[in-house]
Amino acid sequence: MEKSLWNNKRYITVQAAQFVSGLGDWLHVLAMFTLVSLTFQATPIQLSGLVLSQAIPGIVFGPLAGVIADRWNRKFVMIVTGLLRAAAVGLLFTVSSIWQIYFIFFTIGCLAAIFAPAENGLVKQLVPDNQMPIAIAVSEVLGTISKIAGPVLGGSLLVIMEVKHILLIDIVTFLVAAVLLSTIRITRFHPERIKLDLIEEMKDGIRIIRQSHHLYAALLLISAAMLVLQFADSQVMVLLRMLLEQPSAVFGYSIAASGAGMFLAAYLFGSKKLRLALAPALISGTLGIGMVVLLLGGASYLPETIYAFLVPLLFFAIGFGFSTISMPFHTAVQLQTQVTDTGKVYGAINSFMGAGAVLGMAAGGIIMTILGPILGFILTGSLLLMLGMSAWFSFRKIEGGDALAESDRCIQREEKA
């Protein structure tokens, strides 16, 4: 009898390590934003440079990172990148200019770009196909918790201690994650495929995705939706500051509500109470988020009291819609990808989605400056609705749309290390 996912100690350990590492990511980002704002008196453009310096490596080196994750022992890759990230954070104690911080953040971004596909590949090794939807749901929940708890924890620590002490705690999180990973035993698989040179293997990730018309269409849709959504997402605080007397409080409630929406979606998808095939999930999620973003701009003409109450509810819907898109997509990727190729596939996916997010953040500032926040949100919501409708017509033309709800049952030959 197959054991349940909750008895899979190796998988639980990997998720615990990922959660602790995720907290560490947020701690050093928040600490450095505080440092450059107060110590170096950074301009808004320089602060944006911090985000870009850590995001660009995933876009540029995503395919190479995926190859590394597939060629080497994935547990070893995660441990080494975690230790190197701890060392990179340690270098932040020695910085004397913002350019040095950019370089260190770029290095951390490169290491994170390698860590992510290795973690996805390791999950594929440890979790059977019939438990993959639950595993993706658990990952989604833990990722959401770290995104909420990380900034909250960092903000609380900034009140009671100096930035350097937060960096020390950050280093400890990476070390703890490495220790957790070192406790698990991983089997070694032997790929049954022709060895490619490095360049060809880097191209192999997107080539594998393109073999499935629905996966490729889904990736393009999600990347496009990520780009458009970032027009508004990066400018939420600008909108709230313009419309409300206490924007920070409403923003805090809204972030918590977004997390709650993601939790609910993860529970429904993970517990078999709600299972959507990939195409309906992507279409309904994109249309839903588009309508919500449109309301965030259009409802701004309501009285302030009503609007302040409405915003967290709308963010709850955004969180639910985001998980509606994310979870079926990642489940389909895991089920349709052989264990030997998971790193390359996720390297390509992270590169596409990261590019959409970065371009969206850059374009969002320009759009909101020209149109203003209200019209900018209305435009963003309208574009997302158009994307959702376009996806509805496009997916109908692709034969075999429901195939992604099933696993291709790729045979994985494994042997004890």
Side-chain angles (χ1 to χ4, degrees), residues 33-64:
F33 265 92
T34 303
L35 180 65
V36 298
S37 298
L38 299 180
T39 304
F40 296 107
Q41 298 295 309
T43 64
I45 293 178
Q46 289 175 321
L47 289 173
S48 298
L50 280 181
V51 178
L52 292 176
S53 62
Q54 191 161 353
I56 287 176
I59 301 170
V60 177
F61 301 120
L64 176 59

Side-chain angles (χ1 to χ4, degrees), residues 1-8 11 123 126-138 270 272 275 331 334-335 409:
M1 182 176 179
E2 188 179 76
K3 65 180 180 180
S4 73
L5 184 67
W6 308 114
N7 291 327
N8 189 337
Y11 167 76
V123 169
L126 298 178
V127 178
D129 282 353
N130 65 324
Q131 295 179 353
M132 192 60 72
I134 303 176
I136 297 297
V138 172
K272 300 183 181 180
R275 289 283 172 86
T331 300
Q334 288 281 19
L335 294 179
R409 305 300 178 191

Side-chain angles (χ1 to χ4, degrees), residues 76-362:
F76 176 76
V77 169
M78 293 175 69
I79 291 173
V80 171
T81 53
L83 294 175
L84 290 177
R85 278 196 283 179
V89 172
L91 291 176
L92 291 171
F93 287 100
T94 67
V95 297
S96 58
S97 73
I98 194 171
W99 301 107
Q100 293 173 333
I101 298 177
Y102 287 161
F103 175 77
I104 294 172
F105 264 46
F106 183 84
T107 302
I108 293 173
C110 291
L111 295 169
I114 300 172
F115 184 93
E119 190 264 340
N120 287 309
L122 198 54
V123 169
K124 176 70 173 179
Q125 284 181 247
L126 298 178
V127 178
D129 282 353
N130 65 324
Q131 295 179 353
M132 192 60 72
I134 303 176
I136 297 297
V138 172
S139 298
E140 190 85 9
V141 168
L142 291 178
T144 303
I145 293 175
S146 67
K147 290 176 183 177
I148 296 174
V152 171
L153 175 61
S156 301
L157 292 176
L158 281 171
V159 176
I160 60 176
M161 63 178 63
E162 299 179 20
V163 169
K164 63 181 181 180
H165 296 136
I166 296 177
L167 293 179
L168 284 174
I169 295 175
D170 187 19
I171 292 172
V172 170
T173 64
F174 290 125
L175 296 178
V176 169
V179 170
L180 287 172
L181 290 168
S182 68
T183 64
I184 61 176
R185 292 187 62 191
I186 304 296
T187 54
R188 181 182 303 157
F189 58 84
H190 298 280
E192 292 183 353
R193 55 180 172 77
I194 300 174
K195 289 290 185 181
L196 304 174
D197 62 40
L198 181 60
I199 301 300
E200 286 300 311
E201 202 162 357
M202 288 170 62
K203 296 178 182 177
D204 208 28
I206 191 64
R207 189 182 297 123
I208 292 169
I209 297 173
R210 293 188 67 174
Q211 289 174 356
S212 168
H213 297 304
H214 264 74
L215 268 189
Y216 187 54
L219 176 59
L220 294 180
L221 172 62
I222 292 175
S223 299
M226 187 75 71
L227 187 152
V228 175
L229 182 59
Q230 286 299 321
F231 295 169
D233 188 58
S234 60
Q235 303 293 321
V236 168
M237 200 59 189
V238 177
L239 177 70
L240 298 182
R241 191 170 59 233
M242 185 180 75
L243 298 173
L244 303 174
E245 290 186 5
Q246 296 182 321
S248 297
V250 174
F251 182 70
Y253 295 141
S254 299
I255 295 299
S258 175
M262 295 178 74
F263 291 156
L264 178 60
Y267 170 74
L268 292 175
F269 283 111
S271 62
K272 300 183 181 180
K273 294 182 181 298
L274 178 63
R275 289 283 172 86
L276 291 177
L278 181 60
L282 293 179
I283 294 168
S284 60
T286 304
L287 290 174
I289 293 176
M291 183 61 68
V292 171
V293 174
L294 186 64
L295 285 173
L296 278 170
S300 60
Y301 298 101
L302 294 173
E304 181 179 338
T305 304
I306 297 177
Y307 187 73
F309 176 77
L310 181 64
V311 169
L313 297 179
L314 294 177
F315 268 76
F316 177 89
I318 288 177
F320 189 93
F322 184 83
S323 284
T324 300
I325 294 172
S326 174
M327 290 182 54
F329 174 69
H330 287 294
T331 300
V333 171
Q334 288 281 19
L335 294 179
Q336 293 292 305
T337 306
Q338 295 187 47
V339 68
T340 55
D341 299 318
T342 311
K344 291 190 294 293
V345 169
Y346 269 99
I349 288 172
N350 293 340
S351 184
F352 267 78
M353 294 177 64
V358 170
L359 291 174
M361 284 188 285

